[in-house]
Amino acid sequence: MRITEYYIILGKEGFLNDHATTIQAVLCNIVGEVSPRGTAYVGLVLEALLRLFPSEGGKLLDSCGIANKFLEACAHNYFGIDSCDPDRVVVIYMTALARISLANPAFLQNKLPITLQAGTFGHSQLVDLFVKRFQAAGNGAHGLLFESLWGMLLLSFYPPSHTMTLTNSVLEKANEIFGAFVYLLKNVNRDGSNLLSYEVECDDDEEKIDRDTCAYDVLLQEQAACDKLHSSNFRHQLTEKLNSLGAALGNDDYGRFLSTLDSTTLQQLQEMLAN
């Protein structure tokens, strides 16, 4: 997986154009077939691919069915089905879905619902899963980056939005979602300098990474700087969305929407956006 990640980062457009089918074949054979530890390394490839090529990479993953595998894993995790992927795996899949959806807002429109014996996993359940797993997404040095991507995705679902069912879902979960927005405003530096790229960490003291990481660390820093979905402008996006939300809902509905938010959350949000 590290070799594939390196090829994507160093080869860029040329490698993607020449070896898209190879990337698909590798991921199709691995996604959903390896241990959680193995999936952590799959995450390196997903992040490299979608960080550099959010639109093209998303289409690549969608056309070979990998994106559908992500959503099916989310559905199984949501309903707690036996042998479902654990949160640490689903968080990686959900972050990939967030990147794909931010680059292509209509992506999720025809992907759901997924019908299982345990229940139906639709847009409402997907939003609920992003809310429920938000804290899990924050694990690791890259946690704020993942949470920021999730926050940007949830924000994009508010009106005006491409999918009304997603809009209704985020309106219903507004109190929890805006609590997450406040968390991001408090913890993410204005310049995004503490949003660290995804990296696989050692599981325990016995596991060692015996390699020179200096050149790799420099590459990751360069990648973070050019990340098209870098979240340092989340504050500005949130302000703009709130302004457009009032116009989209109308004064009365917007007032009712604000009344559903916890008063402390609303006060903190207003104070932080005013500074």
Side-chain angles (χ1 to χ4, degrees):
M1 287 293 98
R2 283 198 181 276
I3 293 173
T4 305
E5 178 199 17
Y6 289 163
Y7 271 120
I8 293 171
I9 293 174
L10 296 173
K12 299 181 180 177
E13 291 88 352
F15 179 77
L16 184 68
N17 293 335
D18 293 341
H19 299 285
T21 55
T22 302
I23 297 172
Q24 288 177 321
V26 169
L27 291 175
C28 282
N29 287 328
I30 293 177
V31 170
E33 304 298 332
V34 295
S35 67
R37 182 61 176 166
T39 302
Y41 284 93
V42 174
L44 293 172
V45 175
L46 297 174
E47 275 292 286
L49 179 65
L50 296 172
R51 186 173 55 228
L52 277 171
F53 312 106
S55 179
E56 301 90 339
K59 292 175 182 176
L60 181 151
L61 296 175
D62 189 26
S63 64
C64 65
I66 293 175
N68 289 337
K69 284 188 175 183
F70 294 162
L71 286 167
E72 289 167 6
C74 289
H76 284 78
N77 179 273
Y78 180 81
F79 289 111
I81 294 173
D82 289 344
S83 74
C84 69
D85 288 310
D87 291 353
R88 64 185 288 197
V89 168
V90 171
V91 161
I92 292 171
Y93 295 164
M94 292 171 70
T95 303
L97 289 171
R99 284 192 178 274
I100 296 170
S101 300
L102 284 167
N104 178 13
F107 166 72
L108 289 169
Q109 193 161 353
N110 299 316
K111 290 291 182 183
L112 298 171
I114 296 172
T115 302
L116 304 174
Q117 188 172 358
T120 299
F121 185 79
H123 292 118
S124 178
Q125 289 72 31
L126 180 64
V127 168
D128 193 27
L129 189 64
F130 271 105
V131 171
K132 289 179 175 178
R133 302 293 180 265
F134 185 81
Q135 186 173 356
N139 293 331
H142 56 270
L144 273 179
L145 173 67
F146 277 21
E147 288 175 325
S148 294
L149 287 166
W150 290 26
M152 290 173 67
L153 178 68
L154 292 170
L155 182 62
S156 73
F157 294 156
Y158 282 94
S161 173
H162 291 265
T163 308
M164 185 55 65
T165 51
L166 285 165
T167 295
N168 292 337
S169 300
V170 290
L171 288 173
E172 292 171 2
K173 291 283 182 181
N175 202 50
E176 296 98 322
I177 292 172
F178 274 74
F181 292 166
V182 168
Y183 172 84
L184 292 174
L185 291 173
K186 284 181 178 179
N187 290 281
V188 177
N189 294 344
R190 284 178 179 263
D191 62 357
S193 58
N194 60 339
L195 297 176
L196 305 180
S197 294
Y198 175 71
E199 173 59 302
V200 177
E201 300 169 347
C202 297
D203 268 2
D204 54 53
D205 292 337
E206 295 181 358
E207 184 177 13
K208 303 296 182 184
I209 299 178
D210 187 17
R211 60 188 175 89
D212 181 3
T213 61
C214 294
Y216 178 71
D217 291 342
V218 171
L219 275 176
L220 282 187
Q221 290 173 7
E222 293 174 352
Q223 292 297 301
C226 69
D227 191 341
K228 295 176 182 178
L229 294 177
H230 199 276
S231 306
S232 60
N233 60 349
F234 178 75
R235 182 183 300 267
H236 175 69
Q237 292 182 17
L238 180 55
T239 301
E240 284 197 335
K241 179 65 78 168
L242 286 173
N243 291 336
S244 61
L245 182 61
L249 293 178
N251 290 336
D252 291 344
D253 285 343
Y254 184 57
R256 282 191 287 271
F257 165 74
L258 292 179
S259 69
T260 65
L261 299 180
D262 179 80
S263 58
T264 302
T265 298
L266 183 58
Q267 182 181 354
Q268 289 178 330
L269 183 69
Q270 291 171 336
E271 290 175 352
M272 282 185 281
L273 291 178
N275 294 331

